[in-house]
Structures are given as structure tokens and as C-alpha cells.
Amino acid sequence: MIGTLFDLARPLIHALDAERAHHATVQALRLLPLTPKPADDPCLAVKAFGLDFANPVGLAAGFDKHAEVPDQALRLGFGFVEVGGVTPLPQPGNPRPRVFRLAADEAIINRYGLNSDGGAVVRERLAARRGKGGIVGVNIGANKDSEDRTADYAALVRGLGPVVDYLSVNVSSPNTPGLRNLQARATLDALLAEVIEARDGLAGKRVPLLLKIAPDVSETELDDIVTVARDRRIDGMIVANTTIARPATLRDQVQAKQAGGLSGKPLFERSTQVLAQTYRRVERQFPLIGVGGIDSAAAALAKIEAGAALIQFYSAMVFKGPGLAKEIVSGLAQACRRENITSIAAIVGRRA
């Protein structure tokens, strides 16, 4: 039903600039009644980070930035939703325009700059949904003008950890100056040490802590990142964020000149390569979430075969609509039957 509505509304939505269209979509979801989520095929159940996922298909951070519609998003068929990125203090992000469609490439360039309602507001929204079920994580970042970014992450862990199912430490946004420098070995080690200490100080449940990296790292940099992640015994990694690279194959060369992170279909090849490289280095010490360029069940399956226990997407919905989650979930269930396997976990990493 929602897919049909999107098809009808697509010309109107795409007549708006990309950020207004995004805002309108989120507001439309807020108005939808919360219908029951359909049962998933048992072969799609995944256990990762100590959590039980009904299916491995997640909504990537960046869609529900301010935790306004996590439950509505779950009803679209997602097995989990990641809200954010969230910063400790509210910040407006970069000046508009800051989001651009590359329709011919099914891609997006954004330079939002972690616009956020702030940790206190997001905490209140997430606390209000407790008990509703469904796995909801939060992507956390640092304020642009922060004098102590490590302290920002630790503060968000303490503030948001009690109201979410997992925390994703974002050191890979290309739109906050210097943020990707936190991926350097010594800096990352110090950051994770403090963040883990903050997480371990939370009362009650142990909240899984994940690290989200960029696709633009070299193999040497990836060696360092994985070494730190393994030594610090984090619970998982998310591979990967948007890219600052501009593939030569991009057809919309005008919009390609915009500054910001590129996401969508052109990111698939590079992000999947980095995913496979990460999987081989991790040696099954913890699970991975594969992100970047997923726009079909076939693409989701390729991520899983490259090493992803779970997958996420967002940009493809701009072009294919909110019904895409159910399409991918259905396609993965069909893959289970085609492969004659009882669990999708059986094929994780087989082509890495």
C-alpha cells in the first residue's frame, strides 16, 4: 500500500528540493497508523551483538535523524532502525542547500554536518517508546565546535545508552571538519577506551557498542582500525559511511561537483570491497553491518556474502520508495529457499 502511495506521490516529492522532500517524508510517516509488523521468515532471524533480529535488514542512520519515527520505520518491514546522528548539544548543521539528488546515478550527496536536535531531546523521544518492541540503535557524533570530542561521545553513551538497544560511534562523517581524524590508530584507541568506560558504567543491561567507519580508508588504515577494535573488544563494526570520492562512472557530473558525502548505488562496489576486507581482518571476532549502495535483494545478498551479518540502507528509498524494505526482506527469504538453508547466517562471508 505505502509503495503504491509513493509511486503516485513521486513526481510531487521529487519536485521539492531534496531536504524538503526528506522532511515531508518523515512527517508523512508520523501520520501513518501503526499497523502490526508482518511476521518474518524464520530463516532471516539473526543473533548479533547479543540481540535477536527478526530479519537482517536495517534502516541506516541519516533518515530518522532526530528519532521522530523509529516505530513507523519498523512497520515498513525493517528488522531494526538506527536513528541519528545525534550530537550532545543541538546544532543546525551546515547552510542550505546541503542535499543533492543525482537521479541518473540513483545517488545522493549530502553535507548536512550532523544537524541534530541534541542528546536531551532525542533521549526524551526514545524513552517515550520503551516497551514498544523492535530494535532501535542510535548513531552518535561530536558537536562541530566541541573542544573535547571524546567527552561528547562519552556523554552521549551515558545519556542515550539506557534508552536504546545499541550505540554506533560515528567517526566517519565527512561533513564535520576533522571528525575522520578520529579513525587514526592512537586517537581511536583513546576514544574507544573512554567510550567503553562510559558504557560499562551504565546500570542494568549491557548496551552493544559499534564503530562506524568510512569507505575511504587505505588497507593500512583499515589494519589499524580493526586492530584497535579487536583489542578494545567492541561488539561490532558498521562498514561504511558515505564517501568523499567521486567515481568516474557518475553520469551527473554537475551535481557530482557538490561537496559532501556520496551515498547510493555508486557506493556499492567500494563499500562492499571494504566490507570484505574488514571481514577477513576481523576473523569472526564480532559481527559486521554492511552499508552502501544497497537497492535490491541481490545487492543485500552480496553484502551478506561479503561478510555482513546485518545490512542497512537509506538512499535507495529516495528513488525506489519506502516499500523497498519489504521487497528486500522477501527476496532474502526466497534466497534461503533457493539455497536450501535454514538460516541466512549460513552464507555470511562466503565470498569475502
Side-chain angles (χ1 to χ4, degrees):
M1 175 66 174
I2 194 166
T4 302
L5 289 174
F6 174 81
D7 289 339
L8 293 172
R10 187 198 311 263
L12 177 60
I13 294 172
H14 281 207
L16 299 172
D17 74 76
E19 185 166 352
R20 287 182 184 275
H22 181 186
H23 179 73
T25 301
V26 171
Q27 296 312 306
L29 274 179
R30 291 181 67 177
L31 299 175
L32 286 178
L34 284 177
T35 56
K37 185 179 181 293
D40 291 302
D41 192 306
C43 82
L44 298 182
V46 174
K47 188 173 185 65
F49 326 122
L51 301 173
D52 294 311
F53 297 80
N55 74 61
V57 181
L59 178 60
F63 177 81
D64 189 8
K65 285 178 168 290
H66 314 300
E68 297 174 278
V69 289
D71 294 294
Q72 291 86 341
L74 286 166
R75 297 310 190 277
L76 296 176
F78 289 102
F80 64 108
V81 167
E82 185 171 316
V83 302
V86 181
T87 55
L89 300 176
Q91 64 179 24
N94 292 322
R96 300 187 185 193
R98 53 191 179 180
V99 192
F100 308 90
R101 301 186 196 93
L102 287 71
D105 301 290
E106 294 186 24
I108 300 290
I109 291 174
N110 92 80
R111 51 173 181 263
Y112 273 114
L114 287 178
N115 57 312
S116 175
D117 285 352
V121 171
V122 171
R123 178 190 168 92
E124 185 177 343
R125 289 173 183 155
L126 291 170
R129 69 162 301 275
R130 278 190 294 187
K132 292 185 177 180
I135 293 175
V136 177
V138 62
N139 181 285
I140 58 174
N143 281 112
K144 181 179 180 179
D145 58 357
S146 174
E147 294 183 1
D148 188 345
R149 288 181 170 175
T150 298
D152 279 11
Y153 287 98
L156 286 169
V157 168
R158 289 189 290 268
L160 298 178
V163 295
V164 293
D165 296 294
Y166 71 86
L167 294 151
S168 168
V169 179
N170 179 4
V171 293
S172 49
S173 170
N175 299 313
T176 298
L179 193 72
R180 286 191 172 188
N181 295 339
L182 295 175
Q183 294 177 127
R185 184 167 183 163
T187 309
L188 180 62
D189 186 61
L191 169 65
L192 290 182
E194 191 160 334
V195 168
I196 289 169
E197 183 179 1
R199 188 275 309 274
D200 291 347
L202 296 174
K205 65 178 182 178
R206 181 183 183 279
V207 184
L209 192 68
L210 282 56
L211 176 68
K212 186 168 186 176
I213 67 170
D216 306 311
V217 293
S218 68
E219 290 199 44
T220 300
E221 290 168 329
L222 185 59
D223 286 339
D224 288 344
I225 290 168
V226 172
T227 296
V228 172
R230 290 182 60 166
D231 288 348
R232 288 294 175 184
R233 298 187 178 184
I234 66 167
D235 297 286
M237 288 176 61
I238 303 177
V239 188
N241 212 318
T242 59
T243 180
I244 57 174
R246 297 292 183 265
T249 53
L250 289 177
R251 290 185 281 177
D252 190 340
Q253 288 296 319
V254 174
Q255 294 287 48
K257 292 182 175 65
Q258 295 289 348
L262 175 74
S263 62
K265 199 165 189 173
L267 182 56
F268 179 80
E269 184 176 348
R270 175 58 183 165
S271 61
T272 306
Q273 180 184 36
V274 177
L275 170 66
Q277 292 170 339
T278 305
Y279 177 80
R280 291 171 64 86
R281 286 162 170 77
V282 165
E283 298 178 312
R284 298 181 182 271
Q285 293 299 300
F286 48 72
L288 304 177
I289 300 179
V291 196
I294 296 171
D295 64 351
S296 65
L301 188 63
K303 290 283 189 189
I304 292 169
E305 291 178 320
L310 304 162
I311 63 100
Q312 292 176 327
F313 68 89
Y314 154 36
S315 295
M317 288 201 302
V318 173
F319 304 101
K320 298 198 171 182
L324 185 58
K326 288 182 179 178
E327 289 180 23
I328 291 178
V329 169
S330 176
L332 291 178
Q334 291 174 25
C336 283
R337 293 189 289 272
R338 188 170 62 247
E339 297 274 350
N340 195 29
I341 55 176
T342 58
S343 172
I344 197 75
I347 62 173
V348 172
R350 70 176 179 181
R351 299 189 188 276

